[in-house]
């Protein structure tokens, strides 16, 4: 297998094993739509090349299948993340706060939180503080202000983002979720809300993309030498 | 558990137990997307804090699961509402009329009607009076004119709203439903129809949001001291 | 110029002069986006081939320009139709009723009415009878029931279509208009309303397509020998 | 049960039994989303009032359920229509041609054809003549020209409508279908195609609305006394 | 002119002069898209029938034109409302609060406020209190809680609605505005936000429909005898 | 059965058996939505008329059903293509390169590759070379430049197309896939990306339309005599 | 100025002067949105580096401005193309046919035709042969079959593409145009039509992208050595 | 004027003069849709409260108007930013790189670059390095890798974002622009592309929101004490 040019060629897949050097962390594997056998071979390829494994949107059945050939594989069913990471020792200084608007947004929030933790960040969770009862978030203002970066996860109307951003001086990463029904149009409503935030200091990732938000939060939290 | 600051902190959830004082009614629980164990703990938390329970979009299976630990939980399968409300004694004076265009709109109409009743309003139902046979609604014009507020529930083209509103002097709350097919685009068609009503006195809630319409109708029916 | 094969080839245009034989009426000319010189040559070509002229969506300036070389050209500025039709003698028996919901819909309604008249139909107009004041249309129920075919022109929510259709046994052609603002999305709202009409006996044409509705109404009104 | 005012009030439903007098044919019943028990009572109500039954989008299971209490109920599984119609004797003079672009469009085409037949029209079917092999439709040009009204059923790009309309002098009713994938967006593509037809003489009904097209075709085919 | 049947027939228009009796207030006139001469005749017709005049979305030029024949016509250029109302004497008891998120939303907010005032309500304005600086709205919490009904006008992401609604027990009417750019899609973003509000007690009107919100707020503020 | 006019009339279907002569290859059969019995008869009809069989989007169950009556039917489960092609002997000179961005795009890429092969082209596959690790595609630049035509298959953001096109002088055919979630909106995102490619030399086919891309690539690879 | 690395760095722009070598033709300049001074400098930079100039979507005023400093600049106002190309001598063997559905589509068709000509192809034009009068295109079937590649330009419903493609064995490139109104949604309707073409052998470019179609047609017409 | 509670109440506006303390920088003023007189008063209010001025999307005419009463106001016509900032002395250590895909994207790129500079960051510009000529960006890889944070500004298909992100380890902020035509749908295409980026480490702001991107980039570049 050719790995000289920075990738491991499996024929149907080209594992980007140069990524740690280039980007600071190995390639994560997005699982949906992939053949189980393919997925197994991809995992084996990464392990053989001494790369950490991070599998996103991994459902329970596929996890069970993979675990047979990867005994140490860990799995968080709420975040739907599978992982096998050796040396998660250097924890960064800054604190990442992951905020969710409602309890239905917790799976995506957990995906963000766990991703950032696996990448070496210290994460605090603050869940179920939507704007319909604003005293809940106001009460936690000290925690908001202590964070180096905040991830806000919200479905339905997604209004929590602007509120939180208006209270702090740190960057805010907004994650719209597909929670809701009718005119939420599977997450379009909070996506548009967040893109139109009247509060500067807000950026947005794809609907339900907790992984992307956790990854980006960790990037901000990683000092560039 | 901290309830001093107006909420009961379950970690994964922060129950807004200040809401009765602040808003006149306790927090309702939107069930889809919530973990069963979480839902059970949320219900327990509200009961422990002597709050009434109102669970919306609750499916039959989850209701069966919850009833095991909440023996008195009542359930209306058509409206998909579960509830446990002690003192529903003070019925308000005004009458709320819930009108549905077709028989397929009845589940959403029932959600609106039952919500308003549970909140203490007197509700009259008038179902299946769509504009394709306008004599049906014309025949009931006395009932329309007696209402203090009218909820109109309609899918497909949603034309009933403007017609009803044009006949009465009371406020009309329009609920688009996802009934229909093709170019109804899951309720987008009646939603746009209702938002563009040429008759003043009409407001709109989310597609299939019977709860929101019933809640708002009851608000109008509740005199401010 | 080659007209042997049923069209007159102007190079940039191929006038379909076989259309009267094939379809019962000559090709109408949709004016927007056409070069003035092209338009003038197209008109000249049709006149040379003894075809009637029917120009749609013709603005005032272009009409003034064309009239210089086509002295007899008639123009209706409300309907934005220019025409030059010799023998409009055989008026058909049935009566076409053109109904408009509001006064802002009149230009499109006039386009429909004038088109049908130019094609030889007898047209009655009934304007400004939107559903916000339903007694206006109810009062005209005799006129509705006398029609052989009805064209309903409506913007905003377009609810008039189903109401009218529910009262009569004749075919109803619905024309959504771009009148309105906000969530009418330039006519999308009434277009969807009309496509989802719960009353059978309704068909729809493009937004603002008064010409198409008038043409189709006349077709129904034209007995097939 | 009150039927004096032109409807039969079942509480949850108001059967429009005045419709034959007013519109020429009884109310058809759109089945999806209706409770089975409700549907059964609605059928019983119509039968009791000596109305013909026409049930659209009726699936096999519900048909089996209904047949238990309505022994004579007929069912066409391709068109998904259930019916019980006594005196279908007076067949009208004109001929309706139902054209489908592909074989996947046949269920909607059958819904249109059967509806028109049940309402008393004579129907000819011409299936699988899409524009990708235009000689197929050209070969049938005599049949096209004999029709009093043509229904064109097409999914994917829906281009057949304009082609057919350009060849004939009779009215054409276009039915977009949800056949296709990707950028057909469940029928949006052929819907827009048909609404923008450059050939006058075309009108459009909702996506997959074979019933509406058949109903309208029969209306045109029904001479007004 | 026939006014016996509740409307005044001008041929091109049918003025609904029965509306005060039926609905409590006369027909308002939506100006865009109407011919100036038509508009003038409509105004004259209402005045002749002793109806109050309320003209919405009236631009400056048309106002100047109308004032020539209607000397007493008043005009508010910010709200774009023209009016001529005799006896605005009975001011209702409750107070309507109109809240705007930003200064760019003021024209729509003024349309709502002036409409409610002209209909007889007492209105308080609270402008520029968007969520990016939440202390501004928190500081005004007493004013929020005093209101009988609140109108919230907001563009961009429209998050203010849920925040305000979560603080009060009165009904909240949300008006999305077309302020903003890019992914606000001319008001679609705040419209969806508001429809998906996680706070019950919120209803929505069309984008930029200040008139509709003011009208509805006044309805709630009008006690039904 | 009438085949004199270039088609074989099965009643419900009109097989275009003139297509080889007219277009160079027989009619392919799109399987979804077709009745199994119909499909079987269509296959039998083509075989009887000595046409090659090419069945697209054929699922496993239907393949099993068909194989019973068509013993030699071959099936590729990844590409979801069934086929029965006699004389695939003349392989064309040029080489088609099929490139996929990720491993989840492989099924659509295989549909393109196999289609081109069955039509007589020589195909090389280059999979999993998305832009997130651009060295992978850069390393294969010789292969890119050797191709006579390139098919690029990509979901999510679809950015690979412009990159590849910018490196080569041959035509590039872009196939958006429905891989992804959230704001990919089932393939809308890569579809728009590809249509807006800033690199000339790119054309686009429908979402997931591997067949269309392979067909077109083979067309370019087929010299016109 | 650095041109060693294949581009000429103007600071605000990096002219890709390696493109002829890499892709066979120089970079074309898309003019809208560019500052006039920038555009002038870009042109000067290409001329200095002995590159041919091809300016697309160039309006008349900007052309007049540029001509002052580039005396030899040629301009085609219909195609909105400016150009300065020295040695257009080697004309390729195959013939490109550019077909337009209506006369309003001619500007985009001319952009395609002129682009292909400037790149060295022989182009034949066939305009105004839309499907509403199909005999026009049928009469030209010999010309269609002689072409090596066909560009079909069509607005409104765009149905011409499938018809043409079904008649020939060569590749067809479809260009949707923004001609039309209402539900054409600025070209969305023909774009979707063309993407869903039921005839294989069709690919699509962006709405109004005549340049892209002409470029691609020339690519197919350019034999790879 | 009340400034005790952290805002300066101008009646129509409530200037958030607490923002420097709370968020690190004063409130920026979005100019479109604001009355000139209002805008002038808002500027005066900020100056009076010793706040820096930052006016976004400010057109030339309004700038000329404001300069009359604010003599020192500076204006960058490309970035459309007006400003008046006293002590921009502490330049931060890290370097922000602003990359644009094409020259038409420069205005938005300049808005981002100037915003970050005014907030105290050191900015490097790298313009016109779109993926159609990838050697341009590859040649600048050292500059890409030196940056602490990168802003990528791109219209049309927006593919540059993923490419750049895949090459670096720092955070990337993507700004879609409304440059382009047809299926770019005013920036929707690059917005969706960027949201679906297959490369982690990418976040997105609103279409044309250069200000938001520059603000966020500066936030990342600002070390939290």
């Amino acid at each position: 297998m050719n790995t000289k040019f920075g990738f491991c060629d499996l024929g149907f897949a080209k594992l980007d094993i140069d990524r740690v050097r280039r980007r600071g962390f190995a390639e994560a594997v997005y699982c949906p739509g992939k053949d189980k056998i393919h997925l197994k071979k991809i995992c084996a390829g990464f392990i053989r090349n001494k790369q950490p494994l991070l599998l996103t949107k991994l459902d329970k059945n596929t996890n069970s299948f993979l675990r047979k050939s990867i005994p140490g594989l860990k799995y968080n069913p709420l975040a739907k993340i599978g992982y096998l990471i050796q040396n998660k020792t250097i924890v960064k200084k800054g604190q990442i706060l992951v905020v969710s608007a409602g309890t239905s947004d917790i799976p995506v929030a957990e995906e963000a939180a766990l991703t950032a933790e696996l990448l070496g960040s210290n994460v605090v969770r603050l869940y179920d503080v939507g704007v319909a009862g604003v005293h809940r978030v106001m009460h936690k203002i000290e925690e908001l202000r202590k964070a180096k970066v905040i991830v806000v996860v919200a479905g339905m109307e997604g209004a929590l983002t602007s509120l939180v951003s208006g209270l702090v001086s740190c960057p805010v990463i907004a994650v719209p979720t597909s929670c809701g029904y009718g005119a939420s149009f599977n997450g379009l409503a909070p996506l548009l809300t967040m893109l139109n935030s009247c509060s500067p200091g807000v950026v947005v990732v794809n609907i339900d993309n907790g992984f992307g938000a956790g990854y980006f939060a960790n990037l901000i939290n990683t000092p560039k030498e």
Side-chain angles (χ1 to χ4, degrees), chain A residues 139-189:
Chain A
H139 181 64
K140 302 284 184 179
I141 206 156
E142 287 317 305
E143 266 179 78
L144 292 173
R145 293 208 166 130
K146 269 207 313 244
K148 185 161 177 203
V149 49
I150 299 176
V151 174
V152 176
V153 182
M156 289 176 160
E157 92 264 62
L160 186 60
T161 311
S162 296
L163 178 71
V164 165
S165 168
L167 294 170
V168 301
S169 63
C170 77
V172 171
I173 303 165
V175 192
T177 75
S178 53
C179 288
Y181 62 96
S184 98
F185 295 124
N186 302 314
L188 180 65

Side-chain angles (χ1 to χ4, degrees), chain A residues 13-43:
Chain A
K14 300 189 176 36
L15 310 182
D16 184 357
I17 58 174
D18 174 56
R19 201 170 286 195
V20 176
R21 185 193 66 75
R22 206 170 76 243
R23 306 215 52 199
F25 191 74
E27 195 182 353
V29 181
Y30 171 72
C31 299
K34 288 200 173 53
D35 186 87
K36 278 186 180 179
I37 304 299
H38 280 184
L39 205 49
K40 184 175 135 183
K41 288 183 179 169
I42 287 170
C43 291

Side-chain angles (χ1 to χ4, degrees), chain A residues 25-26 47 51-55 72-74 81-89 114-120:
Chain A
F25 191 74
I47 291 171
Q51 304 281 313
L53 262 192
L54 181 54
L55 310 173
L73 187 68
K74 283 177 187 149
I81 288 181
Y83 56 100
L84 195 64
I85 297 182
Q86 249 62 32
N87 42 7
K88 211 198 62 165
T89 54
L114 182 54
T115 296
E117 287 174 338
L118 291 173
L119 296 172

Side-chain angles (χ1 to χ4, degrees), chain A residues 107-140:
Chain A
V108 178
E110 274 301 305
E111 190 190 18
L114 182 54
T115 296
E117 287 174 338
L118 291 173
L119 296 172
S121 279
N122 185 13
V123 176
V124 175
R125 287 150 174 88
L126 179 56
Y127 288 169
D128 196 27
V129 293
V131 298
V134 76
H135 57 297
R136 296 175 297 190
V137 73
M138 287 314 205
H139 181 64
K140 302 284 184 179

